[in-house]
Amino acid sequence: MQVAELSIDHAEGRFLLTIWEGTLSVMPVLPDDIRLANNEITLPDVTDITLFTVRLARHIGLSPSFSLAVNSCTLLEFNS
């Protein structure tokens, strides 16, 4: 089973979204959920996880790029 962690830094702190690979399980996200430190969802496969992450980043105005960090587990980085 694959797992990805999406860390979002914002003005009020950091939000961590843990994304598991498996049977689809996504609860509706409410504005109050952003105040939580961590939330978890499950998506069917790594392709869905990557697409979700890129679409979410673009929705909030970020542009994805491949990480240049050597020996890092970071696949994508997002910048405004």
Side-chain angles (χ1 to χ4, degrees):
M1 179 179 288
Q2 301 288 329
V3 64
E5 290 187 336
L6 177 61
S7 177
I8 302 171
D9 293 313
H10 54 91
E12 298 176 15
R14 175 176 285 183
F15 177 74
L16 182 65
L17 179 63
T18 304
I19 308 170
W20 296 93
E21 179 185 14
T23 304
L24 183 63
S25 173
V26 179
M27 299 299 293
V29 178
L30 304 172
D32 287 341
D33 290 337
I34 299 301
R35 291 187 180 92
L36 299 174
N38 190 5
N39 205 343
E40 291 187 17
I41 63 172
T42 304
L43 296 174
D45 58 35
V46 71
T47 302
D48 289 321
I49 292 170
T50 304
L51 289 172
F52 171 80
T53 303
V54 171
R55 285 185 176 189
L56 178 63
R58 286 186 174 165
H59 177 74
I60 58 176
L62 301 176
S63 299
S65 63
F66 287 107
S67 174
L68 300 176
V70 178
N71 296 327
S72 171
C73 63
T74 301
L75 173 65
L76 295 170
E77 294 179 349
F78 300 92
N79 300 296
S80 55

